[in-house]
Amino acid sequence: MRQHYDDRGEELQDEFEALYEARGEAVEALRRAEYELQAATDAARGMEVVWREMAICVRSAQSLAQAQDCTR
């Protein structure tokens, strides 16, 4: 009977160690995903600035074109 409990204890210990290792891997994957999400967010913010500046340039070009039309 004691052997049965010893065997079961070892099985539970092995399961615990496997779960603990899987937890560590999941935490690491979550950290990587968090980092990638932050990088994507930063890139999106950068693109927002670029699009805003492009819109300003387009409006300026349109204004210049209209001014040139008026002088003809």
Side-chain angles (χ1 to χ4, degrees):
M1 190 63 153
R2 179 168 170 81
Q3 184 62 39
H4 170 72
Y5 288 121
D6 288 344
D7 291 344
R8 184 65 181 138
E10 286 179 31
E11 288 173 11
L12 291 173
Q13 182 65 33
D14 291 344
E15 287 178 30
F16 174 81
E17 289 172 4
L19 288 172
Y20 191 81
E21 183 178 331
R23 177 192 166 274
E25 291 170 3
V27 167
E28 184 58 33
L30 181 57
R31 284 188 185 128
R32 282 192 307 272
E34 214 171 19
Y35 174 80
E36 290 173 11
L37 177 59
Q38 186 60 51
T41 300
D42 293 345
R45 285 188 183 129
M47 286 306 299
E48 182 181 359
V49 170
V50 169
W51 283 106
R52 200 174 308 133
E53 290 176 2
M54 286 177 58
I56 292 168
C57 290
V58 167
R59 285 194 296 271
S60 296
Q62 289 170 339
S63 296
L64 181 59
Q66 287 173 352
Q68 287 175 342
D69 285 344
C70 290
T71 59
R72 288 183 188 175

